[in-house]
Amino acid sequence: MNRTTMMDEVVNIIGPYILKILKYSDVTPYNFYLNRRKFVEALGLASLAFVPTPTLAKQSYSTNAKPNTIEEITNYNNFYEFGTSKTDPAKYAQSLTTDPWEITFEGVSQNKKKFDLAEILRGKAIQERIYRLRCVEGWSMVIPWIGFPLRDLIDELELDNNAKFVAFETVYRPTEMRGQKRATLDWPYREGLTIEEALHPLTFIAIGLYGKELPNQNGAPFRLVVPWKYGFKSIKSITKISFIKEQPYTTWSSENPREYGFYSNVNPNVDHPRWSQATERVIGEGLFGERRKTELFNGYIEEVGDLYKGMDLKKYY
Ligand SMILES: Nc1nc2c(c(=O)[nH]1)N[C@H]1C(S)=C(S)[C@@H](COP(=O)(O)O)O[C@H]1N2
Ligand SMILES: [Mo]
């Protein structure tokens, strides 16, 4: 038995036991993080990668709202690389090759910087998160994602000192992504977060939905999901992740800085210059269905409010 297999076995046996002896109230993300570290140190394991994260997280972070159907989630999409109409991604995204898939990391000091998706997923505790997705255009859905917190990946990297932001990039493949043949956006699509936002336990990497592999139109094989921000922050089909010191270039805020900010936290009190953000149309309720009141931070004020304490949310929209 090699060292890796041995560690896997040890953790498989002890991991769930540790979870049982912690009371639910003890399993706050931060406490659990500390406990996980102690546990790893106690066993003398080299890495956190093999320690399962509790699926308890599902209870605390998922919404109780009823998920949209798979048909709705996979046929009403924004993915401009395949066209600007909501039905274009379902029609054209099959042409994207998602296997093999490599992701390059910048701003890390380890020698190896390029990883195959399988290497990245190895040892990750895969969980379900049911999140509301609120698009800046004024509609929303409820999506049962499958994946892991971005934090679990960042914990395994050796970050350069002083990283303050994380920048993400989608692949640039005009031969496979017909929308990239036109300059609808400044390709490749790019997004970014502060390091604190990236490390927040709600910030998620989705590799699936409804318990199955992620459909191409939803950003296969690896996409970001930040549930308290407008949908455009949740960048799809990621190929590069950089840890940097300055606020990164982000596609929509550069395209139209007056309409789209870097933060783009869901906020019913800060209107888009061309429409109100106070309410949202819930996809599946029909065109004349009742609109839902939009919630500050998409309902996650308890979880993320501290990140923006004292910040002028009208100025930093
Ligand atoms: N690369 C890329 N990522 C993207 C987009 C895009 O056009 N290209 N659209 C964004 C927008 S505006 C939204 S609302 C969500 C939609 O995600 P969904 O289609 O999985 O519901 O993806 C976001 N991620
Ligand atoms: Mo969006």
Side-chain angles (χ1 to χ4, degrees), residues 102-105 110-116 119-120:
E102 285 183 331
I103 300 177
T104 303
F105 295 94
Q110 71 233 16
N111 290 330
K112 188 170 154 73
K113 293 182 169 49
K114 198 183 238 191
F115 294 85
D116 192 69
E119 292 177 287
I120 291 175

Side-chain angles (χ1 to χ4, degrees), residues 76-81 133 135 139 143 145 170 189 217-218 223 231-232 234-236:
Y76 189 91
N77 302 98
N78 273 332
F79 201 166
Y80 275 28
E81 283 84 342
L133 178 104
C135 176
W139 54 266
I143 306 184
W145 302 108
T170 295
Y189 194 103
Q217 57 265 47
N218 293 93
R223 61 99 46 101
F232 68 83
S234 294
I235 180 173
K236 296 175 169 182

Side-chain angles (χ1 to χ4, degrees), residues 159-187:
L159 303 196
D160 287 350
N161 290 334
N162 304 322
K164 298 258 188 313
F165 295 91
V166 188
F168 304 86
E169 260 187 52
T170 295
V171 277
Y172 178 64
R173 287 189 202 159
T175 51
E176 294 188 355
M177 301 170 118
R178 67 203 311 269
Q180 286 182 333
K181 288 181 184 140
R182 309 229 250 116
T184 8
L185 289 174
D186 177 17
W187 313 116

Side-chain angles (χ1 to χ4, degrees), residues 150-151 154-155 159 193-203:
L150 174 60
R151 178 178 197 129
I154 297 179
D155 280 345
L159 303 196
L193 298 171
T194 66
I195 192 86
E196 291 80 15
E197 292 172 335
L199 288 171
H200 193 282
L202 279 172
T203 304

